[in-house]
Amino acid sequence: MKQLYLKYKGHYKDNFSLAYPVVISQLGHTLVALSDSIIIGHTGKVPLAAVSLGNGLFSVFMVAGIGMSYGLTPLIAQENGRGNKNAIGFLLSHSLIINMVVGILLSAVIYVGSSHLSLLHQEGDVAEQARPFLRFLGFSFIPLMLFLSFKQFAEGLGFTRQAMNISIIGNVINIMIGITLVYGLFGMPRLGVIGVGIATFTDRLIMGITMMLYVLRAPRFKPYLQSFGFKNLQAAAIKKILGIGTPVAMQYLFEVSAFSGAAVMVGWMGAAELAAHQIALSLAAMTYMMASGISAAAGIKSGNNFGKKDFGQLRLSAIASYHMVLLLMGGAALVFTVGNHLLPSFYIQDPQVIQIASQLLIIAAFFQLFDGMQVVGLGILRGLGDVRIPTVITLLAYWVLGLPLGYLLGVKLGYGVEGVWWALLLGLLVASVLLFIRFHVKTKKLSA
């Protein structure tokens, strides 16, 4: 064990210093939904189920946007590894245009789709309360993409702390505004579910503008922004970014949409089941976003080493990232197991919801390690520019295996919400194993 530690000691230190701000920043996206659920949960299970439905549907679009923005990060890390500063600002210009177009289009899709929630066959009151909440989340998508554009630029260069600080401040703002508007404090109207929607929009607007101003004004970025501008746009650069961003968006989309599809199925079972699903999922999503922070850092390191053609260090750094995520998710699994009854009580006091959620957290504890491994595997391969085969793997694991099996076990065979979650666990297991094999074969060839 000591020899293993000494072999990877330097990589643990480097990866941790790069990863922990990204972990906190990524966690910020999930903490918005988590704080929304906690704030609204004490008003009843129907409002909590409405927020669950809205956040579940929005998360599909959010992770697609995050994935699309990731098209910039490995390219910047690779160019930085080559010492090619002039290409970096040029890439940012094109990525910003792509991300803003994506933000506007998906915001419009969310707005239109919010009028048709009845097609999902949810309980009437749940769908009615979810509609305006989902629309505010849709409006927040545009400033979110602005934030992500400049965040990925800074992180691709190894500057990760500022996005972390902005995310922390944004979450504090979200909580303060949310509590004020949901419960009608300080003379404000009592808005309930709509209140958390307004809070989320305000939070993301402030974050997007702040991150943009930081990057454009900070002296440390000036050498990289000499070629930043919109006069000499090239289709080839847009194609290059989309060539990575689109498959990465699909990777995230396949996994998260499987869980969102599961939420729709669980909604058929009742408001209590859907509320319990939201509680367990929000906790699991929190640890997932922490793991995705390690994944993002692993992608930056692998991209930088790939640009330098230092393939031996690339492999060592990647394996160190696997070790880190297994330690993190192992700790999360222990917390979920020990606190499976306590954690749901922070959201709601309904005994039926707490009992269902406590069983789901035991299943969530099982899949923590697999979830961490698969997301880090995706990050490492993304840094190498290897995105197509991993995209196929995620499609097979979640949509060909996990979701259909969840429908079979949960709906057809009557195992309920637990049957749905066991099926999703199997999908994560398959994805983690196949992605690790892909990583091992790919990096072995490069090291040779």
Side-chain angles (χ1 to χ4, degrees), residues 187-204:
M188 299 297 291
R190 187 183 179 97
L191 298 178
V193 172
I194 297 176
V196 291
I198 294 173
T200 300
F201 170 77
T202 306
D203 158 33
R204 287 175 177 155

Side-chain angles (χ1 to χ4, degrees), residues 3 18 56 113 128 141 143 167 181 187 193 238 297 310 328 380 407 424:
Q3 290 181 336
L18 184 63
E128 189 65 28
F141 199 86
S167 295
L181 295 181
V193 172
I238 291 177
D310 192 345
L328 169 69
I380 295 166
Y407 179 75
L424 294 172

Side-chain angles (χ1 to χ4, degrees), residues 62-90:
M62 184 180 75
V63 296
I66 292 173
M68 186 63 71
S69 72
Y70 276 169
L72 178 65
T73 313
L75 294 176
I76 284 185
Q78 290 172 15
E79 295 297 346
N80 193 36
R82 299 181 185 115
N84 190 4
K85 292 183 180 180
N86 198 47
I88 291 174
F90 182 73

Side-chain angles (χ1 to χ4, degrees), residues 19-33:
Y20 88 84
V22 186
V23 168
I24 295 173
S25 181
Q26 292 288 80
L27 188 59
H29 299 307
T30 305
L31 285 177
V32 171

